[in-house]
Amino acid sequence: MIRPVTLCFPLVYLILTMAGVASHAADPQAGFQGYPEAPAFTVLPREAPLKNYPCMRCHDFLKVKTEPRQLRAPHPELDHGAGRFWCLECHDPENRNSLRTTPPIATNSNEIHTLCGRCHATQERDWYFGAHGKRVGLWQGEREILDCVRCHNPHQPAIQPRKPQPPPAVRSGLERPAGRPEPVVPIWEQAVDGLEQPREQQHE
Amino acid sequence: MVWNNHENSNMSDQHDVSTQSAGTVTVPDPHRRRLLKQLGIAGAAGTTAASAPAWGGSTLLDALGGFFQDQYQRMSPSEIEAALARIERKAKRDLGVDIHCDNTPPQAGVVFGYALNVSRCRGYRDCVQACIQENNHGRDPSSTAYIRVLELDHGQMNLEQADQYYDPETVPVPGKYYLPVQCMQCADPPCVKACPVEATWMEPDGIVVVDYDWCIGCRYCMTACPYWARHFNWKQPTIPADQVNPDTHYLGNRPRPVGVVEKCHFCIQRTRKGRLPACAEACPTGARVFGNLLDPHSEIRYVLANKPVFQLKSELGTEPKFWYFTD
Amino acid sequence: MLIQNFFRDGCKELLRGGWMYRLWVGLLLLMIAAGGGFYLEQLDQGLVITGLSDQVSWGYYIANFAFLVGIAASAVLLVIPAYIFNRKDIEEVVLLGEAMAVAAVVTAILFVVIDLGRPDRLWHLIPLLGRFHFPQSLLAWDVLVLSGYLVLNCAISFYLLFCHYRGRSPVFGRYFPFVILAMFWAIGIHTVTAFLFSANSARPFWHGALLGPRFIASAFVSGPALLIVALQIIHRIGHLRVNRSVIETLALIMTVSLQISLFFVGAELFTDFYNTGSQHVASSKYLYLGLDGFSGLRPWIWTALTLNGIAVTILMIHPLRRNLVTLNTACLLAYCGVWMEKGMALVVPGFIPTPLGEIFEYLPTVSEVIIATGCWAVGVLLFTLLVKAGAPLELGRLHRTDGEQDVVAANGPSGGPIPTSSAQ
Ligand code: SF4
Ligand code: SF4
C-alpha cells in the first residue's frame, strides 16, 4: 500500500525547491519540516470555541461519503476552493476529529498551517517569515503569530467586506465641499471608445 | 544608510549630551543656562498677566516653568523630570486624568521600519481608529488623524485621483484599492531641515519626533513634507476623560497644546518598549509589518528582500522608512 | 545728551501736524486697534479663527509677508542710483526709500509673527538662547536676513539723520560700506524669501528655479509703484521736495521690471501647460483654469494679470508714462496686480492640491482679513511717522538746538507742482 505521505513527496519537494531551501530537505521521507532559517515563533491558536466538535460524535456512526453534496446544518457553508473542495480535502476521512496532516483539531495544535500550506505554499512561506499573517504583542523578543484560522474561516476563507470606520474630519469650523472629482475613465475604456477624446490624466 | 551611525552611539547618556540625527553633538551651554535662569526671574512679573490664555489656566509656577522649558535634546535629566511632572499635572488639571508620561530612551541597535502590504489592505480604517485612541487625538472630531487611507482606482497611481473620505456601505469597493499613508519617518526628512527652531528631529531609532513644547507653530514643516503627514492643532484638542490613554511619552502621545504641529511617531510610547504600534496591532488583515531594520532576521527585512516593494515619491530623495509591498 | 535730544525732538515733531495728519494717524490707530482685538481672539482660540487648514496651512498672512518683503527689497532701487550712479536728485529722497524698507520689513516680520501658532515661544528663535536651526532651515535664513536688513536700514538712516541733526555732513567712509552691504542684502532678503518657497520639493508649484527671479522682478514693480505715489503725496503735503526726474527713473525701472515679470509668468505658463503630465500642472491648472470644478482663484489671477497687462500698456506708451495721472493709474494697477499675483495667487496654489492629491480650497475669514489690515496699518503708520520725523531732519529744519530753545522750522513748505528738471 502506498502511504499518503509518499504521495505528497513530489509536491513537498516542489515547494521546497521553489522556496530555495531544497538543501534543507535532506530527508525527503520526513516531509515538510518548516523553514529552519525563519525566525523562531510560537503560534497563538484559535480562541473561538468549536461548535460541533468532536466530529466523531456523529461521524463515528455515519458512513463516509466521498462525493460532494449539499451540506446541511449544523455544518457551516463551504466556500473554499471555488467549488473544487469537499470536506474530505482537509478533514481526515478516518478520523474527522483530525485534519489530514494535523493532530486532532481541538488540541489547539499550531500545525494547521501545514495543511493550508499544501495549497497555499507561498502564503505559508511568507507566514513563516512574517510577510503574511499577523504578529501580535511585541515586535521584539518572542515572536507570537496568529494561526491561519484566526483570520480566515477555513470554510469561507475570504475576508468579508464590511463598513469602514468613519472618514477623517477636516479642521473644525470648515466644511468639505460636497461632490467628488470626476471619475477618471480608465485607459482601457478610452481605448474602447477608439481614443476619440484624449484625456489629460496620465500615470505618474 | 544614514541611520547606521547611531548603532554605536551611547544611549545611556542620551539626555546628558544630546545626540542629534545629523550626528552632531550639542553640549549644554552653562552660560546660556544661567542667562535663562536670570531671565526667568526677571521675566516672572512680566509674563504673569499674559500667561492665562496661552497656558490654559495653569498655575503660575507651571506656566513659568513651561515658558522657560528648554528644548528636549538639551534638557538635563532633572529638567526632563520636571517637564514630565508638569505634563502630568497639566493633564490632571485640564483633562481630569492621571496620566503617566515617560521618557523611554531609544534602544541601541534599533532603527524602526514599516512595510505595508497593499494587496492585503482593504480600506477598513481600523488602523486610523486605533491610532486616534492610542495617541490621544482630539475627539471633537479632530483633523489631526495621522493615517490617511487613500482609495484609488485600479490602474491608477495618480494621487490626485485619490479619495481619502470614502465612506461606502462596505469596503473594499470593487475596482478600487487602498493605500494608507502616514509619516514615512524619512531618513532624509525635509521637515527636519525646514524647522527653524529644531523642534523636530530624527531620534537615533529613526523616528522623527516633535517637541510639542518647543514648536513655535510656523507650519513650515507641513509645507516641506511631501506626504502630508504633519498636522496642526488649530485649536486646543479636547478628549473626554474616559477616552484618554494614560500611558504616554514626552515625544509621543501626551496631550498636545494648541498651536503646534504633530505627526505619526510610530507609537514611540509602545515601540520603545518592544510593543507593536497601535495601527499594526489593529489591522485585521495583517497588512502591516513593523520591525527593526538593523536586524537581518526581522520580518521587515524579509519583506524588503523578498517582496516587490516601493516607496511613495521615492524620487524626491526623502528615503522613507515606510515601504509598500505586494504579495 | 545729544542722542536723547535727537529722539525727543523727533517725537515732538510727530505730535505736531494739521488735522489731516491727525485724522490719518487716528484712522490707522483705529485699524490697528481692530486688528489687535481680533488678534487677541486668535491668541485665545488658536488659528482656528482663520480659514487655514491642514490642507492649506499658509494663507493670507504669508501671502502678505511675501509681498512685503518685495517692497522692502525694492528700496534698493533708490539706493543704487543714489550712491552708485551719484544721482543727486535721488539721493535727496533716498531716506524715504529707507523708511519704506524699515516699515515694510517690520510689517513683514509682523505677518510672520501673527501666523505663528505659538508666538509666546518666539524666543526659541534667538540664537544661543533658543535653538536657531541655521543654516539648514530656510526660515531661519529668512529670520536672519530680515532682522539684519532691518538693523542695517535703521542704522544707516539713523546715522544720516543724526548727522543732519548735528549739522555735520556724514562721513562717506562710515556709511558707504553699509550702504553697499544693504544693497546686496536687499536682493538677499527677497531671494531667500523666494527660496523659502522654492526649496520645497514637496510643492511642485513652487519648486522651480524661476521663482527667485520672478520674486525680484515683481518686487521691482510693486516697490517703485508704491514709491512713485508716496513721493508725490509727500511732495504735495510739503514735507520734501521731490524732483520729477526721480519719478521718471522709477517709472522706467517699473516698466522694464513689469515686462520681465510678465515674461516670466508666460514662461511658467508654457512649461506648465505644454506638457500636460507634469506635476506642476495640477496647481497651475487650479489657479488659471480651475481643477475638478474648483476654481476659487481663477478670477483672482485673471484680474491680477489684467491689471498688470493694462499697467504695462500704459507704461510702455511714453506720453502716458510721463503724464502723472496715467502714471499713477498704472502704479495703482500694477501694485494691486502684483499684490494679488505674488500674494494669494502664489502662496495658496502651492497647497492645492495637497501632496496627497486633495483639493481643498481656502478663503480667508473676516477676522483674518481684519488682523492683516491691522498689520498693514502698523506698516503705514510707521512709514508716516518715519517720514514725518525724518523729513524735517533731512531738510535741516529740525536740527540741534541749544538748551531750551525750541525747534524752528527753517524752510518754507515745498508744495506746488513737482518741479521738472533735467532728468537723465
Ligand atoms: S513623511 Fe513628512 S513628516 Fe514624516 S519624516 Fe518624512 S517629511 Fe517628515
Ligand atoms: S511648525 Fe513647529 S515643528 Fe514645524 S517647522 Fe515650525 S516650529 Fe518646527
Side-chain angles (χ1 to χ4, degrees):
Chain A
M1 192 191 132
I2 304 173
R3 285 164 52 222
V5 73
T6 323
L7 269 180
C8 57
F9 159 59
L11 180 64
V12 171
Y13 187 76
L14 194 66
I15 295 165
L16 294 183
T17 320
M18 279 176 0
V21 290
S23 54
H24 291 280
D27 177 12
Q29 292 296 319
F32 178 56
Q33 295 291 307
Y35 297 90
E37 70 282 36
F41 58 86
T42 52
V43 177
L44 297 191
R46 84 157 72 233
E47 275 173 335
L50 293 165
K51 258 190 264 149
N52 302 325
Y53 193 84
C55 314
M56 293 311 271
R57 211 162 40 190
C58 302
H59 281 275
D60 227 2
F61 313 108
L62 296 172
K63 217 177 130 236
V64 178
K65 290 189 204 153
T66 47
E67 64 288 349
R69 63 192 181 283
Q70 186 65 44
L71 272 177
R72 256 176 280 132
H75 291 108
E77 199 186 317
L78 183 65
D79 184 12
H80 189 169
R84 277 167 293 200
F85 272 25
W86 178 239
C87 311
L88 301 182
E89 242 73 44
C90 298
H91 289 275
D92 186 345
E94 308 296 322
N95 174 9
R96 303 297 167 81
N97 287 349
S98 292
L99 298 173
R100 275 182 180 269
T101 62
T102 65
I105 309 168
T107 57
N108 274 348
S109 82
N110 58 8
E111 285 169 39
I112 190 86
H113 63 91
T114 56
L115 180 66
C116 307
R118 284 164 55 156
C119 296
H120 305 287
T122 358
Q123 279 87 344
E124 188 194 23
R125 177 170 171 264
D126 282 349
W127 177 81
Y128 263 89
F129 288 93
H132 185 104
K134 194 167 155 60
R135 182 174 182 165
V136 291
L138 306 176
W139 62 265
Q140 195 173 30
E142 196 189 354
R143 182 168 166 234
E144 293 182 322
I145 56 179
L146 297 185
D147 207 345
C148 309
V149 294
R150 278 283 280 262
C151 304
H152 302 281
N153 175 349
H155 302 110
Q156 289 149 21
I159 290 176
Q160 294 307 307
R162 66 162 170 81
K163 180 86 186 152
Q165 300 278 1
V170 291
R171 201 210 76 188
S172 70
L174 292 181
E175 289 281 319
R176 205 167 56 81
R180 279 212 52 191
E182 295 264 305
V184 195
V185 181
I187 292 165
W188 50 94
E189 279 173 29
Q190 296 170 31
V192 171
D193 297 341
L195 281 173
E196 276 162 7
Q197 285 140 4
R199 310 288 301 194
E200 277 140 352
Q201 279 77 21
Q202 311 251 325
H203 288 283
E204 270 182 26
Chain B
M1 297 265 186
V2 183
W3 56 79
N4 279 341
N5 303 339
H6 306 302
E7 259 181 290
N8 305 326
S9 64
N10 187 349
M11 300 298 159
S12 58
D13 52 19
Q14 221 261 322
H15 302 296
D16 297 345
V17 178
S18 51
T19 322
Q20 290 171 43
S21 58
T24 52
V25 170
T26 323
V27 183
D29 171 7
H31 168 71
R32 194 198 54 81
R33 235 172 249 302
R34 223 176 307 122
L35 195 56
L36 266 181
K37 283 233 178 67
Q38 284 163 359
L39 262 181
I41 297 157
T47 44
T48 322
S51 66
W55 293 284
S58 31
T59 62
L60 177 63
L61 228 55
D62 270 7
L64 281 178
F67 185 85
F68 291 105
Q69 184 177 315
D70 206 346
Q71 198 245 22
Y72 177 79
Q73 290 173 299
R74 262 188 345 198
M75 275 193 271
S76 70
S78 63
E79 283 173 324
I80 290 190
E81 281 313 311
L84 295 176
R86 269 198 299 273
I87 289 166
E88 287 170 3
R89 281 198 296 273
K90 183 161 167 42
K92 182 76 187 161
R93 256 194 318 266
D94 294 357
L95 304 168
V97 189
D98 287 306
I99 65 163
H100 169 71
C101 188
D102 66 29
N103 181 38
T104 320
Q107 301 183 19
V110 171
V111 166
F112 292 119
Y114 217 137
L116 192 145
N117 190 340
V118 189
S119 37
R120 296 269 154 238
C121 177
R122 296 168 70 84
Y124 293 147
R125 287 206 195 96
D126 283 357
C127 50
V128 179
Q129 215 50 38
C131 172
I132 288 176
Q133 276 152 21
E134 167 72 27
N135 287 314
N136 287 325
H137 285 282
R139 302 292 154 78
D140 44 356
S142 162
S143 60
T144 52
Y146 296 155
I147 308 175
R148 302 293 164 130
V149 186
L150 305 183
E151 186 185 66
L152 282 147
D153 287 322
H154 283 169
Q156 268 287 358
M157 193 59 220
N158 183 355
L159 297 186
E160 274 153 40
Q161 299 303 328
D163 178 18
Q164 54 162 310
Y165 300 101
Y166 64 88
D167 195 23
E169 269 319 300
T170 57
V171 281
V173 175
K176 309 268 188 195
Y177 75 100
Y178 298 86
L179 190 79
V181 181
Q182 61 204 78
C183 172
M184 305 278 156
Q185 316 294 351
C186 308
D188 188 2
C191 57
V192 167
K193 242 198 294 189
C195 181
V197 292
E198 295 189 59
T200 183
W201 66 92
M202 187 161 69
E203 284 279 290
D205 51 7
I207 304 181
V208 175
V209 293
V210 182
D211 183 345
Y212 315 119
D213 288 341
W214 191 256
C215 167
I216 59 173
C218 66
R219 306 191 295 292
Y220 192 33
C221 54
M222 292 174 80
T223 308
C225 171
Y227 305 97
W228 204 60
R230 293 186 157 251
H231 302 278
F232 187 71
N233 286 289
W234 298 99
K235 64 187 186 61
Q236 180 62 49
T238 53
I239 318 168
D242 56 335
Q243 293 180 32
V244 174
N245 174 8
D247 295 321
T248 65
H249 189 286
Y250 182 96
L251 299 171
N253 61 341
R254 66 176 162 115
R256 273 83 67 191
V258 64
V260 301
V261 154
E262 58 179 271
K263 61 179 271 299
C264 162
H265 41 77
F266 277 1
C267 282
I268 199 165
Q269 67 279 2
R270 297 164 66 108
T271 49
R272 283 203 173 162
K273 293 178 179 156
R275 295 174 69 199
L276 284 165
C279 47
E281 194 169 274
C283 178
T285 69
R288 289 168 168 269
V289 178
F290 179 84
N292 181 6
L293 288 174
L294 302 187
D295 172 8
H297 303 296
S298 61
E299 284 110 334
I300 180 136
R301 285 285 293 273
Y302 175 80
V303 168
L304 298 186
N306 292 280
K307 293 285 168 186
V309 299
F310 70 93
Q311 295 157 309
L312 213 53
K313 306 192 188 189
S314 56
E315 71 276 10
L316 296 182
T318 52
E319 297 191 59
K321 295 200 287 289
F322 192 106
W323 287 266
Y324 296 90
F325 70 103
T326 56
D327 275 339
Chain C
M1 278 286 292
L2 202 52
I3 292 202
Q4 270 172 7
N5 289 345
F6 172 73
F7 283 111
R8 196 199 56 210
D9 288 349
C11 290
K12 269 192 194 154
E13 178 67 27
L14 293 184
L15 293 178
R16 304 184 316 168
W19 64 272
M20 281 253 283
Y21 170 72
R22 280 160 202 275
L23 189 71
W24 175 240
V25 172
L27 197 71
L28 292 174
L29 284 176
L30 212 64
M31 283 157 78
I32 295 171
F38 277 88
Y39 182 62
L40 282 184
E41 197 199 338
Q42 180 183 309
L43 276 185
D44 183 44
Q45 310 263 307
L47 281 154
V48 69
I49 69 156
T50 67
L52 297 167
S53 54
D54 282 354
Q55 284 83 352
V56 184
S57 47
W58 278 352
Y60 194 58
Y61 295 158
I62 295 294
N64 280 307
F65 158 76
F67 177 76
L68 274 162
V69 176
I71 299 284
S74 56
V76 76
L77 294 178
L78 290 183
V79 175
I80 290 180
Y83 294 110
I84 305 293
F85 300 121
N86 281 320
R87 285 274 302 271
K88 285 290 162 242
D89 52 340
I90 294 187
E91 202 175 337
E92 280 165 17
V93 294
V94 74
L95 278 172
L96 286 175
E98 306 269 354
M100 187 183 77
V102 170
V105 174
V106 169
T107 318
I109 293 176
L110 208 57
F111 268 113
V112 179
V113 172
I114 58 166
D115 187 64
L116 292 183
R118 301 299 301 222
D120 52 318
R121 299 185 182 160
L122 208 57
W123 67 272
H124 295 179
L125 274 168
I126 302 171
L128 290 181
L129 205 59
R131 227 180 154 173
F132 196 56
H133 198 201
F134 187 83
Q136 286 92 333
S137 169
L138 257 303
L139 204 54
W141 272 85
D142 222 2
V143 170
L144 191 81
V145 291
L146 283 180
S147 35
Y149 192 63
L150 183 59
V151 171
L152 263 181
N153 276 298
C154 286
I156 295 172
S157 321
F158 172 75
Y159 177 72
L160 293 179
L161 288 179
F162 193 53
C163 286
H164 283 300
Y165 181 72
R166 295 212 295 182
R168 299 190 188 166
S169 56
V171 182
F172 184 75
R174 285 216 192 127
Y175 69 90
F176 191 67
F178 293 101
V179 168
I180 297 287
L181 185 61
M183 246 179 244
F184 286 102
W185 208 288
I187 305 293
I189 57 168
H190 212 32
T191 313
V192 168
T193 306
F195 287 177
L196 185 75
F197 293 98
S198 67
N200 297 298
S201 56
R203 309 281 171 181
F205 183 68
W206 301 330
H207 189 52
L210 197 54
L211 201 69
R214 259 187 82 180
F215 263 49
I216 301 282
S218 58
F220 286 179
V221 177
S222 53
L226 185 61
L227 273 175
I228 289 173
V229 177
L231 287 178
Q232 290 175 55
I233 294 173
I234 290 165
H235 179 85
R236 278 194 197 279
I237 291 175
H239 278 317
L240 215 57
R241 194 177 298 275
V242 179
N243 214 311
R244 183 68 183 256
S245 60
V246 179
I247 304 240
E248 285 190 351
T249 308
L250 286 175
L252 204 64
I253 293 174
M254 188 179 152
T255 313
V256 177
S257 304
L258 190 50
Q259 287 165 343
I260 295 175
S261 176
L262 285 174
F263 170 69
F264 283 163
V265 172
E268 291 245 34
L269 280 176
F270 169 76
T271 335
D272 287 352
F273 287 103
Y274 185 75
N275 264 319
T276 49
S278 78
Q279 275 230 325
H280 210 204
V281 79
S283 301
S284 306
K285 225 173 167 182
Y286 167 73
L287 177 61
Y288 290 104
L289 306 175
L291 193 62
D292 287 330
F294 298 103
S295 53
L297 279 177
R298 187 174 56 190
W300 185 266
I301 185 70
W302 288 112
T303 313
L305 288 183
T306 315
L307 295 183
N308 282 345
I310 301 173
V312 82
T313 318
I314 296 176
L315 290 171
M316 272 157 52
I317 301 170
H318 291 260
L320 292 184
R321 191 177 68 241
R322 298 225 169 87
N323 179 323
L324 276 184
V325 177
T326 41
L327 175 65
N328 286 341
T329 317
C331 285
L332 196 71
L333 296 179
Y335 185 82
C336 294
V338 171
W339 178 74
M340 293 170 89
E341 183 207 317
K342 193 158 78 180
M344 293 278 280
L346 181 106
V347 173
V348 175
F351 296 95
I352 302 175
T354 67
L356 296 189
E358 183 186 354
I359 302 173
F360 191 86
E361 295 195 285
Y362 161 76
L363 198 70
T365 57
V366 176
S367 335
E368 206 175 345
V369 174
I370 294 178
I371 294 175
T373 313
C375 283
W376 273 101
V378 171
V380 178
L381 181 66
L382 196 60
F383 183 62
T384 312
L385 298 184
L386 285 174
V387 173
K388 182 79 172 50
L393 282 166
E394 164 91 355
L395 290 176
R397 263 188 289 162
L398 190 62
H399 49 76
R400 179 179 191 173
T401 50
D402 296 316
E404 292 77 34
Q405 202 184 325
D406 214 335
V407 178
V408 198
N411 297 6
S414 44
I418 291 185
T420 335
S421 77
S422 53
Q424 281 104 27

